[in-house]
């Protein structure tokens, strides 16, 4: 399954190798247009589990990219949740999406897992404009 997902990611452009334009991005036509971001549960198991858990608890599966709101959303989503020396506070929806901020689901996860998955999804969204709808696909 992982090999097939990697192959499909490569041929559809969701691997982030699209540079600074959106040609080749895996966007579906119709009412459900969105870009797919792949989160590999073998590389980022805690991030993957947090995404699945948050969606199962009612958080939205389709998000709207909104990078300018990231700092404000992060402040709102993490307000009142203490920092821990052994883990990062991971929020879903991530702060860089319109749906992030107040009411986001927050979990403590391993710092390297959190920062690795965050780097991965930012890289996959390189060149994708704000306002684009995004779906995280956990493999």
């Amino acid at each position: 399954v992982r090999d097939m997902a990697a192959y499909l990611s490569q041929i559809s452009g969701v691997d982030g190798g699209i540079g600074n334009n959106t040609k080749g991005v895996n966007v579906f036509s119709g009412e459900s247009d969105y870009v797919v971001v792949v989160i590999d549960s073998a590389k980022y198991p805690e991030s993957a589990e947090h995404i699945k858990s948050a969606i199962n608890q009612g958080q939205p599966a389709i998000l709207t990219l909104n990078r300018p709101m990231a700092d404000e959303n992060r402040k709102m989503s993490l307000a009142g949740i203490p920092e821990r020396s052994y883990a990062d506070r991971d929020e879903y929806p991530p702060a860089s999406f319109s749906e992030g901020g107040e009411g986001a689901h927050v979990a403590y996860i391993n710092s390297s897992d959190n920062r690795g998955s965050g780097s991965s999804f930012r890289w996959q969204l390189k060149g994708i404009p704000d306002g684009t709808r995004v779906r995280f696909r956990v493999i």
Side-chain angles (χ1 to χ4, degrees), residues 84-131:
R84 301 280 162 89
S85 61
Y86 60 86
D88 281 356
R89 298 169 296 173
D90 180 44
E91 54 288 23
Y92 183 90
S96 56
F97 292 89
S98 295
E99 297 78 8
E102 189 174 359
H105 189 274
V106 180
Y108 293 104
I109 67 172
N110 177 282
S111 298
S112 62
D113 186 303
N114 184 40
R115 294 169 194 184
S117 67
S119 176
S120 174
F121 88 70
R122 282 188 301 274
W123 183 76
Q124 291 177 64
L125 292 171
K126 183 178 180 182
I128 304 298
D130 288 322

Side-chain angles (χ1 to χ4, degrees), residues 23-102:
K23 290 184 179 179
V25 174
N26 188 13
V27 178
F28 303 92
S29 61
E31 287 297 311
S32 61
D33 292 348
Y34 57 85
V35 172
V36 175
V37 169
V38 177
I39 300 296
D40 188 336
S41 60
K43 292 181 181 178
Y44 313 112
E46 293 182 33
S47 294
E49 185 58 37
H50 183 215
I51 291 167
K52 291 189 299 185
S53 175
I55 291 171
N56 286 338
Q57 293 180 41
Q59 293 293 336
I62 306 288
L63 307 173
T64 309
L65 191 57
N66 188 353
R67 294 176 188 97
M69 286 297 301
D71 289 340
E72 184 62 29
N73 280 348
R74 189 170 291 106
K75 286 178 192 173
M76 288 190 300
S77 65
L78 300 179
I81 300 173
E83 292 183 33
R84 301 280 162 89
S85 61
Y86 60 86
D88 281 356
R89 298 169 296 173
D90 180 44
E91 54 288 23
Y92 183 90
S96 56
F97 292 89
S98 295
E99 297 78 8
E102 189 174 359

